[in-house]
């Protein structure tokens, strides 16, 4: 039996009597603040491993991770693979075109077959919201949601939280503006859960047609997002911001008629030098990627001094190592 702590001395285990080891990671709605903090703290220990000359520890030796991606991905798929390999797991990647769903097999039967081949963790990306939740209900393997439809992208939100925390030292009371295609964004939804739980001041900014209709009605005072404000005016939103998070305009999910024109959208909601001057002078600019440069973000901003976009990508490996560790290697705490 491998001691999962070998080579990663600073790791923390779940230590609350009310906490149990999490089997699946589907969204952040059911994460407590302490649980999020544990993932972020362990990502610090994982980052130390990544920065070594030999990036390898035995925490997940003998474990098998299968990434099952039914949508394109660069960052998420590669970083889960790299995270698994650094932790010594065997990682098998299956894309849409290489799986038997191409021949008409159901997602359930594909995933069941993967489980039968002893996959400990299935990391799934799927265009249909709720697909990871469905697999988690019916399979024994651990399921990690790598993005499902417009629903959730928990590992992206956690790496965003980690990026904010490592940059500023804390997330609480930071003004975070999320701007763009909120209607179709799983990144925005998972970030809303994570940022509000960690005490950030969150402002959503988009044209009314790109904000979910139930958000436009406003949140009641008992709603988990009660502290979140919504505006359609980017200059107003960005004033005093610590973090500006631009979202990709999701052409593949857009139904027609939500925008008068891309040019007008870019003028009103694109992040440029002029608008960024209204933010705090130490503002950081984030984007989950892939970016439409020149639409939601100017090239000079995406690659400029305020951008932490490549830092987000780098942090994704440490955070995903922390997540893989949390579902597989962390000691179970019994009630
Ligand atoms: N942020 C994100 O999910 O990027 P990929 O689509 O490249 O994985």
């Amino acid at each position: 039996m491998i001691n999962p702590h070998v080579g990663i001395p600073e790791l923390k285990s779940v230590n609350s009597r009310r906490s149990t080891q999490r089997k699946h990671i589907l969204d952040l709605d059911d994460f407590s603040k302490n649980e999020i903090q544990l993932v972020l703290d362990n990502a610090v220990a994982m980052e130390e491993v990544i920065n070594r000359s030999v990036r390898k520890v035995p925490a997940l030796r003998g474990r098998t991770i299968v990434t099952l991606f039914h949508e394109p991905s660069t960052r998420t798929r590669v970083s889960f693979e790299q995270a698994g390999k650094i932790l010594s797991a065997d990682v098998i990647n299956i894309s849409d075109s290489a799986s038997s769903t191409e021949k008409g097999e159901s997602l359930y039967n594909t995933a069941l077959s993967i489980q039968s081949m002893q996959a400990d963790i299935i990391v799934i990306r799927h265009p249909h919201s709720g697909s990871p939740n469905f697999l988690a209900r019916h399979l024994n393997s651990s399921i990690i949601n790598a993005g499902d439809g417009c629903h959730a992208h928990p590992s992206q939100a956690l790496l965003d939280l980690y990026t904010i925390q490592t940059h500023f030292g804390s997330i609480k009371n930071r003004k975070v503006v999320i701007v763009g295609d909120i209607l179709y964004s799983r990144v925005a939804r998972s970030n809303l859960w994570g940022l509000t739980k960690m005490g950030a001041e969150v402002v959503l900014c988009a044209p009314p047609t790109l904000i979910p209709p139930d958000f436009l009605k406003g949140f009641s005072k008992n709603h988990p997002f009660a502290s979140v404000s919504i505006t359609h005016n980017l200059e107003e939103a960005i004033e005093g911001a610590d973090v500006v998070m631009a979202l990709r305009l999701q052409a593949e999910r857009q139904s027609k008629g939500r925008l008068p024109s891309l040019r007008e959208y870019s003028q009103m909601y694109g992040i440029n030098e002029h608008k960024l001057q209204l933010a705090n002078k130490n503002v950081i600019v984030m984007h989950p990627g892939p970016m439409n440069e020149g639409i939601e973000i100017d090239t000079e901003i995406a690659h400029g001094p305020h951008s932490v976009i490549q830092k987000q990508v780098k942090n994704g490996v440490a955070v995903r190592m922390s997540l893989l560790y949390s579902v597989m290697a962390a000691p179970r705490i019994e009630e």
Side-chain angles (χ1 to χ4, degrees), residues 72-76 125 153 156 288-290:
S73 167
T74 302
R75 285 147 282 265
T76 313
R125 171 169 290 192
H153 197 345
Q156 177 69 45

Side-chain angles (χ1 to χ4, degrees), residues 69 71-79 125 146-147 153 156 159 186-187 248 287-290 320:
F69 274 56
E71 272 186 359
S73 167
T74 302
R75 285 147 282 265
T76 313
R77 201 204 59 72
V78 174
S79 61
R125 171 169 290 192
H153 197 345
Q156 177 69 45
L159 76 87
R186 55 197 179 205
V187 174
R248 183 169 69 89
H287 192 301
R320 288 172 176 126

Side-chain angles (χ1 to χ4, degrees), residues 150 179-185 189 204-217 230-233 247 249-250 253-262 264-265 268-269:
C150 306
V179 55
D181 187 354
I182 291 155
L183 181 65
Y184 293 102
S185 177
R189 282 176 181 73
L204 301 179
C205 181
T209 48
L210 289 181
I211 292 187
D214 52 327
F215 285 21
L216 282 174
K217 285 185 244 150
I230 296 174
T231 174
H232 311 304
N233 181 324
L247 298 175
L249 197 59
Q250 301 202 24
R253 292 187 225 277
Q254 294 283 347
S255 45
K256 284 196 171 71
R258 294 199 176 273
L259 299 172
S261 75
L262 278 185
E264 190 174 322
Y265 176 81
M268 291 183 73
Y269 295 100

Side-chain angles (χ1 to χ4, degrees), residues 94-106:
I94 306 177
S95 66
D96 211 9
S97 57
S99 88
S100 291
T101 51
E102 275 287 285
K103 300 179 197 160
E105 185 175 59
S106 68

